[in-house]
Amino acid sequence: MTTLSIYQVSKPHRAILQTSDIASILKLLTDAGVPFEQWPIRPLPQNADAAAVLSAYQSEIDRLKAAHGYTTVDVARVTPEHPERVALRQKFIEEHTHPDDEVRFFVEGSGAFYIHLGDQVVRLLCQAGDLISVPAGTKHWFDMGPAPHFTAIRLFVSPEGWVGHFTGNLLPGLVPKLDSAHA
Ligand SMILES: [Fe+2]
């Protein structure tokens, strides 16, 4: 279930707010300046290739491209058997920023975005059908968990794709991870 949690940087171990109500999530993210949408999930064969995934969501992709100037689109898929799953998790779980928006549409599976805004961290557990856009320059990290499973469409303004600037902040080690017993 798509779930938003808010943590205080000064007390990051426990959420001060948690909701799975989509209207509340939409309002909280909109107020935070983080675009969020839910798209209808289209049927796809198991292990559909990137072309089939992009084709299924072509109308939504075209709308976002026209609205925000995204030029590059690809499909990222990580499975629990991925040979580099530990290294991949470790890379994206460090706090970083991008010169580009980080736009992700979850075609299947799930993952958690953590967005560091002032004295708070907003965590959004994304599920299939969720689109999130972390604005350029916003501190954030992503936890795919120890057994990652997701397929996501990624949109970029820059043709270079994913370029991260790491902050070195230790906060990601303090806020509950995806597999933590505490949310
Ligand atoms: Fe990122």
Side-chain angles (χ1 to χ4, degrees), residues 92 94 96-98 100 102 104 113 134 138 140-142 162-164:
F92 295 115
E94 300 293 338
H96 60 275
T97 64
H98 304 287
D100 205 337
E102 179 152 319
R104 298 289 180 272
F113 275 92
V134 181
T138 304
H140 68 281
W141 63 94
F142 177 72
W162 197 95
V163 179

Side-chain angles (χ1 to χ4, degrees), residues 11-28:
K11 278 173 71 178
H13 303 289
R14 289 284 181 126
I16 57 166
L17 180 152
Q18 188 170 79
T19 181
S20 295
D21 176 69
I22 292 301
S24 300
I25 289 173
L26 186 57
K27 175 163 183 11
L28 285 161

Side-chain angles (χ1 to χ4, degrees), residues 9 29 31 50 54 66 71 92 94 103 124 132 140-142 160 162:
V9 169
L29 289 174
D31 289 349
L54 295 175
T71 60
F92 295 115
E94 300 293 338
V103 188
L124 184 69
I132 185 171
H140 68 281
W141 63 94
F142 177 72
E160 285 99 60
W162 197 95

Side-chain angles (χ1 to χ4, degrees), residues 88-151:
L88 281 171
R89 184 189 192 195
Q90 194 52 46
K91 176 181 177 184
F92 295 115
I93 210 169
E94 300 293 338
E95 187 181 88
H96 60 275
T97 64
H98 304 287
D100 205 337
D101 297 343
E102 179 152 319
V103 188
R104 298 289 180 272
F105 172 71
F106 284 79
V107 174
E108 60 179 359
S110 62
F113 275 92
Y114 295 72
I115 304 162
H116 182 182
L117 299 164
D119 61 356
Q120 293 190 330
V121 173
V122 176
R123 178 172 92 163
L124 184 69
L125 175 60
C126 295
Q127 306 280 2
D130 292 344
L131 175 124
I132 185 171
S133 176
V134 181
T138 304
K139 290 184 267 187
H140 68 281
W141 63 94
F142 177 72
D143 188 5
M144 61 182 72
H149 168 62
F150 66 87
T151 300

Side-chain angles (χ1 to χ4, degrees), residues 44-105:
L44 280 165
Q46 203 171 13
N47 297 321
D49 64 15
V53 171
L54 295 175
S55 174
Y57 294 96
Q58 195 63 56
S59 60
E60 286 89 353
I61 292 168
D62 288 345
R63 172 171 57 80
L64 285 185
K65 279 180 158 179
H68 304 286
Y70 302 128
T71 60
T72 308
V73 183
D74 68 11
V75 176
R77 175 179 280 134
V78 183
T79 64
E81 299 80 31
H82 196 295
E84 293 171 43
R85 63 186 178 279
V86 174
L88 281 171
R89 184 189 192 195
Q90 194 52 46
K91 176 181 177 184
F92 295 115
I93 210 169
E94 300 293 338
E95 187 181 88
H96 60 275
T97 64
H98 304 287
D100 205 337
D101 297 343
E102 179 152 319
V103 188
R104 298 289 180 272
F105 172 71

